């Protein structure tokens, strides 16, 4: 019976998309993403969008950073223009692979065709 519980739990977690990410790997990758976002927003973001910088800097986990992407897009678009900002945000979004439940992963947009 104990084996069944473990397999059921493992199967459920696999469906959520957590895979083999250990807590230390999760923390390291979250910090990597945080630093990437802060670097992309740069000095312009620090001076003109302090609230968004704080939102990213103090986000408590990968999901909080994921939800901050809309605000990050606002800063990146102000710095680089929308086209380049979309490219940069796509690169940032790719870093979340394996850290989030499947329901939060980006889906291809029909507008991008």
């Amino acid at each position: 019976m104990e084996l069944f519980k473990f397999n059921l739990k493992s199967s459920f977690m696999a469906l959520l998309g957590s895979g083999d990410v250990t807590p230390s790997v999760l923390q390291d990758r979250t910090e990597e993403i945080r630093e990437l976002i802060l670097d992309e927003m740069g000095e312009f973001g620090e001076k003109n969008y302090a609230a968004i910088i704080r939102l990213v800097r103090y986000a408590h986990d990968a999901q909080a950073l994921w939800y901050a992407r809309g605000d990050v897009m606002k800063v990146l678009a102000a710095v680089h223009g929308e086209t380049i900002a979309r490219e940069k945000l796509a690169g940032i979004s790719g870093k979340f692979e394996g850290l989030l439940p499947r329901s939060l992963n980006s889906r291809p947009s029909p507008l991008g065709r």
Side-chain angles (χ1 to χ4, degrees):
M1 184 68 171
E2 191 67 34
L3 180 62
F4 175 71
K5 287 180 184 177
F6 177 75
N7 288 337
L8 182 61
K9 181 181 177 187
S10 297
S11 297
F12 181 69
M13 294 306 284
L15 286 173
L16 292 178
S18 64
D20 295 323
V21 178
T22 63
S24 64
V25 169
L26 179 63
Q27 183 177 356
D28 291 346
R29 289 191 50 205
T30 300
E31 289 306 314
E32 178 184 316
I33 293 167
R34 183 188 324 276
E35 289 302 316
L36 174 61
I37 293 171
L38 291 171
D39 287 346
E40 290 292 349
M41 290 192 294
E43 194 173 309
F44 180 84
E46 288 276 348
K47 289 182 180 177
N48 300 297
Y49 294 94
I52 296 173
I53 294 290
R54 281 191 306 274
L55 177 71
V56 171
R57 186 169 286 139
Y58 299 113
H60 60 279
D61 61 10
Q63 283 187 356
L65 288 173
W66 178 259
Y67 285 120
R69 291 175 314 127
D71 293 323
V72 171
M73 176 68 183
K74 178 180 175 180
V75 177
L76 295 178
V79 174
H80 303 289
E82 188 172 345
T83 303
I84 293 172
R86 283 181 183 266
E87 292 171 3
K88 290 182 175 289
L89 196 62
I92 291 168
S93 295
K95 300 288 186 183
F96 286 92
E97 188 172 326
L99 297 180
L100 303 169
R102 286 185 192 168
S103 62
L104 291 180
N105 288 331
S106 294
R107 293 178 293 281
S109 170
L111 301 175
R113 293 181 189 175

